[in-house]
Amino acid sequence: DTAVSQTPKYLVTQMGNDKSIKCEQNLGHDTMYWYKQDSKKFLKIMFSYNNKELIINETVPNRFSPKSPDKAHLNLHINSLELGDSAVYFCASSLRRAHGANVLTFGAGSRLTVL
Amino acid sequence: EDKVVQSPLSLVVHEGDTVTLNCSYEVTNFRSLLWYKQEKKAPTFLFMLTSSGIEKKSGRLSSILDKKELFSILNITATQTGDSAVYLCAVADKGGSEKLVFGKGTKLTVNP
């Protein structure tokens, strides 16, 4: 009954490789996000999609490409991995609200280690 | 650019102590402030604060927002070892973007 599920949970790979992380939510939310959390635990937004439409695209290298086939899924593909890409990547989802901020529900994270 | 600063960065206390975590922010057009708790994995939602001066409470945890002074505090009374976690503060602005801007968190360790 996992609300926001990400796969894989752990990923160890060599520099220069291409990898993908998948995310699915079963909450009926209309907005999904990718956040990156570095070794100092700092959570930073990367992308957000609302009903499959890209609405946030922060200053992220274009080696990172999100893809949302439908509003329940948001995948992240990373080309030519670099050492600095090592981090925990969190997927999150929310329901757009008329008042107040969107309350995000996070997945368990995908720990990426680039060697 | 929106900015969130949390203090202290880390805190070690004994069970039964009361702690206060601080969060100050700068945001162009404030919408809400949120607190999350992160143990080993996913951050989990604690509170959302939109109005000044109204305390939100859940068991031993409570939080209040001061929109004039641009800060919020999270209080935990009678701490337990299970309260050990990183507590994250985030702000949302009204700019139409759906993003939350997070602070770097306060790492709380509660020793028995």
Side-chain angles (χ1 to χ4, degrees), chain A residues 47-81:
Chain A
F47 301 104
S48 173
Y49 274 74
N50 177 260
N51 283 320
K52 303 195 294 172
E53 184 186 340
L54 180 66
I55 54 171
I56 297 173
N57 184 353
E58 292 290 292
T59 311
V60 175
N62 56 17
R63 298 182 295 104
F64 289 79
S65 50
K67 197 163 276 186
S68 181
D70 56 60
K71 69 176 190 177
H73 295 84
L74 180 62
N75 304 323
L76 183 66
H77 187 75
I78 317 169
N79 288 327
S80 305
L81 279 155

Side-chain angles (χ1 to χ4, degrees), chain A residues 14-48:
Chain A
Q14 300 284 337
M15 255 176 28
N17 284 350
D18 303 339
K19 289 292 175 190
S20 291
I21 308 171
K22 295 188 175 187
C23 179
E24 175 181 3
Q25 54 94 4
N26 62 5
L27 296 165
H29 288 169
D30 56 4
T31 307
M32 294 185 74
Y33 311 77
W34 279 110
Y35 276 80
K36 179 180 179 182
Q37 189 171 48
D38 61 24
S39 56
K40 294 182 180 171
K41 293 286 192 182
F42 188 36
L43 257 178
K44 196 160 180 202
I45 181 84
M46 298 173 71
F47 301 104
S48 173

Side-chain angles (χ1 to χ4, degrees), chain B residues 5 10 12 14 18-20 29 31-32 34 36-37 41 44 51 59 64 71 84 87 91 94-95 100 105:
Chain B
V5 177
S10 68
V12 180
H14 287 106
T18 292
V19 297
T20 299
N29 200 358
R31 189 177 189 194
S32 298
L34 291 85
Y36 280 81
K37 176 182 181 183
K41 294 186 178 176
T44 53
S51 302
I64 198 156
F71 78 90
S84 296
Y87 289 84
V91 293
K94 285 183 183 171
L100 294 181

